[in-house]
Amino acid sequence: MSKLVQLILIFSILISCTKIENGKDKLSSNKNESLISKDTIANLSIGSLVDSGLIVSVNKYKIVCNFYRNFKELVIPIRVCATFEANGFGNIDSFIVNYDGVIHNLKTNDYFIQSPREIIAIKNSRNFGVRIIDFNFDNQPDIAIYNSASGMKNIVEDIYIYGKTKKRFIYNQILSESSNCTVDTMRNLIETFGQGGMASMIYNSETYTWEEENLKKIREVRQDYNDDLKRFIKVTKDLVDNNWVTSTDTLTEERILELREGK
């Protein structure tokens, strides 16, 4: 009889624990639901986001940001749509550009963002937002979208080139995987620059030209530090008559500084 009583007591305790745990789970769930219903996203009030020119819909927090960019005499409308969780993390759902009478959605993959502040930065910042520039010198607008995964020194952008024949923006993998892309309009060249350590005395750079709709690399420079020689080694490769010509220089830090000052 005593064994039966013991079994009943143990069974009762197990049931009580289950109810408590279920109660905790329910409370936890209700807490999360109340958190989502609050008027903040990542500690930013919805009012402040609206004041920044954003349209906010509280359903997992949808944000729509409308703005414009100028290209020569054109004004190009752009719309960014994003979805955020209550903790502020989210994804850009669509990146839409209205050009040449066509609505272009440039988002091809999930674009993770850590805060609605990044949407505001895309709208307001010229360096860490959206650039419209003619990368291939055909008088058509091309688009560079700041990639938040890049650093402050080496800015990486998702770059789309407008194809006149296909009438759409085409993702350019070479430029999108490069850093600090600049356009030389005098020589119709694109230059990239990857800054390394030692005050950027360690670096790599590439120079490209266009052959019809394809990029062609014509120059490559790599500069690194050699611990054994206590010198910087600069290796330059130039494309001459479709053959690569390589030259190597050994430089001291003083000489690099002189070269930077144009001496």
Side-chain angles (χ1 to χ4, degrees):
M1 191 70 170
S2 61
K3 287 185 178 180
L4 180 61
V5 172
Q6 288 177 359
L7 287 172
I8 292 172
L9 287 172
I10 293 171
F11 186 68
S12 300
I13 292 170
L14 289 174
I15 291 176
S16 299
C17 290
T18 302
K19 287 182 177 179
I20 291 171
E21 288 303 313
N22 287 340
K24 286 182 178 179
D25 289 342
K26 188 174 182 181
L27 286 173
S28 177
S29 176
N30 289 338
K31 184 179 180 181
N32 289 336
E33 288 176 4
S34 65
L35 177 64
I36 292 175
S37 67
K38 286 183 179 180
D39 61 348
T40 60
I41 311 176
N43 298 321
L44 298 174
S45 72
I46 289 181
S48 67
L49 293 173
V50 172
D51 290 341
S52 299
L54 307 180
I55 302 169
V56 182
S57 173
V58 184
N59 177 17
K60 246 194 176 180
Y61 300 112
K62 300 282 186 180
I63 288 182
V64 178
C65 181
N66 297 304
F67 56 97
Y68 299 89
R69 286 290 186 268
N70 295 321
F71 177 75
K72 298 183 178 180
E73 71 279 2
L74 298 176
V75 177
I76 299 177
I78 298 174
R79 169 175 288 186
V80 180
C81 303
T83 302
F84 289 90
E85 301 287 347
N87 59 10
F89 296 111
N91 279 284
I92 292 180
D93 303 316
S94 57
F95 197 103
I96 298 169
V97 176
N98 187 343
Y99 176 66
D100 200 22
V102 179
I103 303 298
H104 306 269
N105 188 357
L106 304 189
K107 178 184 173 293
T108 56
N109 300 302
D110 288 339
Y111 196 104
F112 175 75
I113 44 182
Q114 299 187 42
S115 167
R117 288 188 179 91
E118 293 185 27
I119 301 295
I120 300 171
I122 287 175
K123 175 184 177 183
N124 296 331
S125 174
R126 299 296 175 175
N127 294 325
F128 302 103
V130 179
R131 293 194 300 156
I132 295 187
I133 189 170
D134 185 5
F135 279 98
N136 59 344
F137 316 107
D138 63 352
N139 293 316
Q140 297 291 328
D142 305 313
I143 297 179
I145 306 170
Y146 172 69
N147 190 324
S148 61
S150 66
M152 297 293 290
K153 290 171 58 177
N154 292 309
I155 297 174
V156 178
E157 298 168 297
D158 295 327
I159 295 177
Y160 297 81
I161 306 297
Y162 186 75
K164 289 188 291 186
T165 55
K166 297 181 179 180
K167 290 187 177 297
R168 65 185 179 91
F169 291 94
I170 301 170
Y171 178 80
N172 188 280
Q173 186 170 357
I174 293 176
L175 297 181
S176 299
E177 292 178 351
S178 303
S179 60
N180 302 317
C181 293
T182 58
V183 175
D184 185 339
T185 56
M186 299 297 293
R187 299 181 296 163
N188 284 1
L189 299 175
I190 295 179
E191 297 176 325
T192 70
F193 189 81
Q195 301 184 60
M198 301 184 73
S200 299
M201 292 183 186
I202 296 174
Y203 71 90
N204 62 274
S205 68
E206 289 85 28
T207 303
Y208 295 91
T209 187
W210 289 92
E211 284 191 348
E212 297 180 353
E213 296 185 357
N214 298 314
L215 276 173
K216 181 178 181 180
K217 186 190 292 186
I218 60 171
R219 194 165 209 252
E220 180 179 307
V221 180
R222 297 284 185 275
Q223 183 166 289
D224 207 343
Y225 187 75
N226 187 295
D227 289 321
D228 295 330
L229 298 176
K230 306 298 182 185
R231 296 286 190 275
F232 291 89
I233 307 299
K234 180 180 178 182
V235 179
T236 304
K237 297 180 181 179
D238 288 295
L239 189 64
V240 180
D241 296 329
N242 287 322
N243 294 310
W244 286 101
V245 178
T246 302
S247 61
T248 303
D249 295 314
T250 303
L251 303 166
T252 63
E253 181 177 343
E254 291 76 17
R255 180 54 184 154
I256 292 174
L257 294 174
E258 289 175 355
L259 291 171
R260 287 183 176 181
E261 294 174 0
K263 296 180 180 180

